[in-house]
């Protein structure tokens, strides 16, 4: 071994070279700062074939600037979502308190599997999970949970606990000939199908419960489906409710769903299904649970106060959930990955535990503080708890209340402006969240009347095809002709989650996630719709 070559590598890549690192970080921050005054970025290239043909692994050791040069074109070509014109989907700009936490996690690179791999970072995870649990469940005696790489994995945990509850031993023995099923909202995230397939119950055994016009699971249809399942001898492993659907921010009645689950399980003498709530988007409503409507310290207008009050009534339902998924990297404005899976009672995690004999090189693990005994992953990054605690204590509870209330207020403002147009119809007028879904039809068409016909079942298939085609054509026309300097970026969904007579409803969509989005953006958006038709 060439001792000098080894030492050169150690000095360059494993020794903290502060000046070199600060210079490179400074260059990246300068690029990020420049983006803040620019319109949203567009795709600069899609040279996937070139990328695959030129992997470009250098032969000789270089330096930190070589590392910078290898990634900087892609860094510059990646949008930071800082522009106030970004209204596309559930992704906003990460806050800079979260950046501080994330950098701290990256510098130390803890693995949250056991505390011997991360020391006090494991303690930080317990602290941040408990803080979020108290916010979500409004205080509970024995919460616990873990950070995962995303909402799909967090929901997977909820589904797996449900399977083990109704079919004990499945972890060891497999499903065999057990007849298992899961129930979800028709407006729920498509990842529910992913978890059904990966957990082995099969996508065909995942049943969607229709929603009402507010994208909320219909309780009568849930009760009907449970009767059907139990009468056929099927074990219902889990019911996944949704708090804040991805497109229209529909909210399920969690308390009533729990009551139905318990009543039906008692009626049929079976183990109740695990009630998991996918609140990846909507969990942020819990920041407003204790907001004082009377004193109104934020000075919210009357309409926003009404929406806040409705939000407070809805968040009470979390106290009846068995487990919850929340994504802090969405409206926590945190960094990826910071999704959390949280159980209201930590004993539920016992359904997932391994024995020490099964994890020989973690023989020191203790269930009281070492998640490796029950987690899907053996390697979990520490960005989640670091981003969460830095953000919660930097921005603070009242700061988050201000951000969330502003998003609700701006979305409601946009809904009202669009609904005033005869040729437009807002499809989620009554959901108290940051999402706005609507139709735009050619001028002269009465969008409200057409929507009424569709709900009443008097619209023909030919008419439906024509009108839906017009909605998409006008969306495409705006996307092709917008002024990137002033026009907000929107998105399009083929189904908002409400399906009258089984018809999936397409819609234009805007999500007020970026706190920089102001009245000027909304004014211009409404004007662009008027100009379009």
């Amino acid at each position: 071994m060439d001792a000098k070559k080894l030492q050169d590598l150690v000095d360059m890549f494993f020794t903290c070279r502060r000046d070199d690192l600060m210079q490179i970080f400074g260059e990246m921050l300068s690029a990020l700062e420049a983006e803040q005054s620019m319109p949203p970025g567009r795709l600069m290239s899609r040279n996937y074939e070139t990328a695959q043909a030129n992997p470009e692994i250098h032969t000789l050791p270089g330096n930190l600037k070589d590392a910078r040069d290898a990634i900087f074109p892609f860094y510059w070509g990646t949008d930071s979502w800082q522009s106030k014109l970004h209204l596309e989907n559930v992704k906003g700009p990460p806050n800079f308190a979260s950046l501080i936490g994330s950098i701290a996690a990256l510098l130390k690179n803890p693995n949250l599997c056991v505390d011997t791999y991360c020391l006090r970072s494991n303690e930080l995870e317990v602290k941040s999970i408990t803080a979020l649990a108290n916010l979500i469940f409004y205080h509970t005696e024995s919460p616990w949970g873990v950070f995962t790489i995303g909402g799909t994995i967090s929901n997977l945990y909820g589904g797996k606990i449900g399977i083990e509850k109704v079919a004990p031993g499945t972890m060891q023995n497999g499903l065999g000939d057990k007849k298992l099923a899961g129930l979800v909202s028709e407006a729920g995230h498509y990842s529910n199908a992913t978890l059904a397939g990966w957990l082995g119950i099969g996508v065909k055994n995942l049943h969607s419960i229709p929603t009402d016009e507010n994208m909320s699971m219909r309780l009568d249809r849930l009760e009907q489906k449970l009767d059907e399942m139990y009468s056929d001898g099927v074990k219902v492993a889990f019911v996944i409710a949704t708090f804040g659907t991805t497109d229209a921010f529909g909210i399920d009645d969690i308390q009533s769903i729990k009551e139905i689950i318990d009543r039906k399980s008692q009626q049929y003498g079976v183990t109740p299904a695990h009630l998991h709530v996918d609140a990846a988007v909507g969990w942020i409503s819990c920041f407003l649970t204790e907001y004082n409507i009377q004193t109104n310290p934020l000075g919210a207008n009357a309409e926003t106060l009404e929406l806040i009050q409705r939000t407070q009534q809805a968040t009470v339902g979390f106290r009846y959930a068995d487990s919850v998924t929340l994504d802090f990297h969405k409206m926590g404005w945190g960094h990826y990955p910071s999704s959390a899976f949280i159980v209201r009672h930590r004993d539920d995690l016992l359904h997932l535990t391994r024995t020490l004999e099964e994890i020989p090189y973690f023989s020191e693990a203790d269930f009281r503080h070492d998640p490796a005994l029950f987690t899907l992953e053996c390697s979990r990054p520490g960005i989640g708890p670091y981003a969460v605690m830095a953000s919660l204590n930097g921005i603070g509870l009242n700061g988050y209340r201000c951000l969330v209330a502003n998003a609700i207020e701006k979305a409601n403002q946009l809904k009202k402006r669009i609904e005033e147009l005869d040729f437009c119809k807002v499809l989620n007028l009554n959901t108290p969240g940051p999402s706005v879904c609507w139709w735009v039809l050619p001028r002269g068409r009465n969008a409200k009347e057409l929507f009424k016909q569709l709900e009443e079942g008097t619209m023909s298939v030919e008419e439906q095809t024509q009108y839906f085609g017009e909605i998409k054509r006008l969306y495409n026309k705006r996307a092709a002709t917008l002024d990137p300097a002033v026009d907000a970026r929107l998105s399009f969904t083929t189904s908002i989650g409400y399906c009258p007579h089984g018809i999936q409803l397409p819609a234009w969509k805007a999500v007020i996630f970026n706190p920089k989005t102001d009245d000027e953006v909304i004014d211009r958006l409404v004007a662009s719709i008027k100009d379009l038709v």
Side-chain angles (χ1 to χ4, degrees), residues 32-214:
L32 186 68
E33 189 176 21
E35 284 184 15
Q36 295 190 350
S37 60
M38 298 169 63
R42 293 189 175 220
L43 287 171
M44 298 177 68
S45 68
R46 280 183 168 173
N47 298 323
Y48 299 123
E49 293 80 7
T50 302
Q52 188 171 27
N54 298 279
E56 296 179 343
I57 300 177
H58 289 183
T59 302
L60 299 176
N63 54 43
L64 296 178
K65 290 184 178 179
D66 292 320
R68 173 204 61 193
D69 293 343
I71 57 91
F72 197 81
F74 307 94
Y75 173 81
W76 180 251
T78 297
D79 201 313
S80 64
W81 290 69
Q82 293 289 333
S83 171
K84 66 181 184 179
L85 300 177
H86 273 306
L87 273 68
E88 291 100 322
N89 265 309
V90 283
K91 184 181 187 300
N95 79 80
F96 286 98
S98 174
L99 177 66
I100 291 170
S102 299
I103 288 175
L106 291 172
L107 287 172
K108 288 300 185 75
N109 198 29
N111 180 352
L112 299 178
C113 58
V114 292
D115 61 7
T116 53
Y117 273 45
C118 62
L119 302 180
R120 293 204 71 190
S121 293
N122 201 327
E123 181 183 340
L124 185 66
E125 181 175 42
V126 172
K127 187 179 182 72
S128 55
I129 285 290
T130 305
L132 292 172
N134 287 340
L135 188 69
I136 294 290
F137 298 124
Y138 198 68
H139 303 289
T140 183
E141 292 182 1
S142 59
W144 203 15
V146 291
F147 283 91
T148 74
I149 61 173
T152 299
I153 302 300
S154 294
N155 289 342
L156 192 78
Y157 275 90
K160 182 57 179 171
I161 289 176
I163 289 174
E164 293 299 322
K165 279 184 174 180
V166 304
T170 299
M171 182 85 78
Q172 296 296 324
N173 304 317
L175 288 173
D177 58 356
K178 301 182 182 74
K179 295 171 63 177
L180 297 183
L183 306 182
V184 297
S185 165
E186 192 170 45
H189 197 272
Y190 68 83
S191 63
N192 290 328
T194 301
L195 72 90
W198 282 52
L199 289 174
I201 69 172
V203 176
K204 291 183 178 179
N205 293 312
L206 184 74
H207 303 275
S208 296
I209 308 300
T211 65
D212 61 20
E213 66 276 8
N214 294 320

Side-chain angles (χ1 to χ4, degrees), residues 129 132-133 135-136 146-148 150-151 154-155 276-284 324-330 338-342 388:
I129 285 290
L132 292 172
L135 188 69
I136 294 290
V146 291
F147 283 91
T148 74
S154 294
N155 289 342
H276 178 73
V277 179
D278 182 356
V281 178
W283 71 274
I284 47 92
V324 173
T325 286
L326 65 87
D327 282 358
F328 199 84
H329 51 242
K330 289 192 172 74
S338 51
S339 179
F341 170 74
I342 309 177
V388 166

Side-chain angles (χ1 to χ4, degrees), residues 389-405:
M389 290 311 291
S391 299
L392 291 181
N393 289 282
I395 296 174
L397 180 60
N398 287 328
Y400 269 107
R401 284 173 176 165
C402 182
L403 291 171
V404 175

